[in-house]
Amino acid sequence: MPRTPLVAANWKMHTTHEEADRLAREIAAGAAAVQDVDVVVCPPSCYLMPVGAALAERKGGALGSQDVSEIVGTGAHTGDISGAMVRDCGGTYAIVGHSERRATRGEDDACVARKFEAAQAAGLIPILCVGETLEERDGGETDAVLARQLGAVLEQVGIAAFATAVLAYEPVWAIGTGRSASPEQAQAAHARLRATLAASDAKIADSVRILYGGSVKADNAAELFAQDDVDGGLIGGASLKAEQFNAIVKAAGNH
Ligand code: PGA
């Protein structure tokens, strides 16, 4: 089944209001110029609304959050932002389980699974991040780590939930290091992830978009996206430069 490529920008804790607005406009213009690629911009939460407005004005790109609360509803949860709030700000996607949050905010597999569920309950499309550390890769544990991280979410929400979800394979050792996974390494991991889903439902597995993230740049995007099971990218550093990011979107459009 042909899957529409998706390229998502993860700005992390970068940009001012003014920079976010400008960058969103430039990215929207790039997205509008490329056919058949879904573009998602995930700014810091405080800029969701202006970035959403800028994207809408230029008619290019959807809005997403970098995280979402695992709690559904409202309540005394200082600092949390619910999926419904992200929706209310115009968001349609939410990154969940990014390795930076797993590593520094104590988000374990069960917490990530609850966030995935909460995002979907609010009508958001979760972008579920999974990936191994260098130590785990060197120890030959990559497949087991991916199976555990994906398995925890599957157990929580069931396979049907993956019909409206996106997966992102992000090896921790490749994030922000300038050392991307090779196309072969990415393809192998993506194929494993798809096979894990296929064990429950082949049709859903075939339709799920699996993004690669970790030091994707304009000059290595094409070879990564050329892999059968790589359906786009989750872009950190290179998403802060419109020219770089738009070139990555263009590369996705060529596959
Ligand atoms: P990077 O980050 O592109 O800067 O490696 C990717 C990510 O963390 O989503």
Side-chain angles (χ1 to χ4, degrees), residues 3 7 18 31-32 60 75 90 172 226:
R3 295 175 289 265
V7 181
E18 194 186 326
V172 179

Side-chain angles (χ1 to χ4, degrees), residues 10 12 98 100 170 174-176 214-216 234-237:
N10 174 10
K12 309 191 179 184
H98 191 283
E100 286 153 14
E170 295 210 310
I175 296 175
S215 296
V216 179
L234 180 52
I235 319 299

Side-chain angles (χ1 to χ4, degrees), residues 83-219:
M85 289 168 179
V86 175
R87 281 291 287 157
D88 197 30
C89 289
T92 46
Y93 290 83
I95 297 172
V96 296
H98 191 283
S99 63
E100 286 153 14
R101 297 200 62 83
R102 291 180 190 260
T104 69
R105 294 295 178 272
E107 295 188 7
D108 60 12
D109 292 335
C111 169
V112 171
R114 290 192 297 272
K115 288 191 170 202
F116 183 108
E117 190 170 36
Q120 281 197 332
L124 296 168
I125 298 170
I127 301 175
L128 169 66
C129 301
V130 295
E132 80 288 358
T133 64
L134 189 56
E135 214 181 359
E136 289 164 340
R137 172 163 284 266
D138 289 346
E141 295 164 35
T142 300
D143 289 352
V145 170
L146 298 182
R148 193 200 73 222
Q149 292 177 336
L150 180 55
V153 180
L154 268 171
E155 200 176 300
Q156 175 86 11
V157 300
I159 184 67
F162 281 82
T164 49
V166 174
L167 257 180
Y169 170 58
E170 295 210 310
V172 179
W173 48 271
I175 296 175
T177 58
R179 179 186 164 198
S180 162
S182 68
E184 295 72 27
Q185 286 172 322
Q187 170 57 29
H190 286 223
R192 292 296 299 199
L193 289 167
R194 205 179 297 287
T196 300
L197 295 174
S200 298
D201 189 312
K203 207 166 150 217
I204 289 176
D206 197 35
S207 71
V208 173
R209 289 177 291 185
I210 308 180
L211 316 182
Y212 167 78
S215 296
V216 179
K217 306 277 182 254
D219 58 8

Side-chain angles (χ1 to χ4, degrees), residues 21-41 50-63 246 249:
D21 190 68
R22 188 174 58 239
L23 191 51
R25 277 163 212 281
E26 291 169 352
I27 287 177
V34 176
Q35 300 277 309
D36 300 325
V37 180
D38 291 338
V39 174
V40 180
V41 179
V51 166
L55 295 173
E57 200 184 301
R58 294 282 173 104
K59 300 187 169 43
L63 185 68
N246 289 348
V249 170

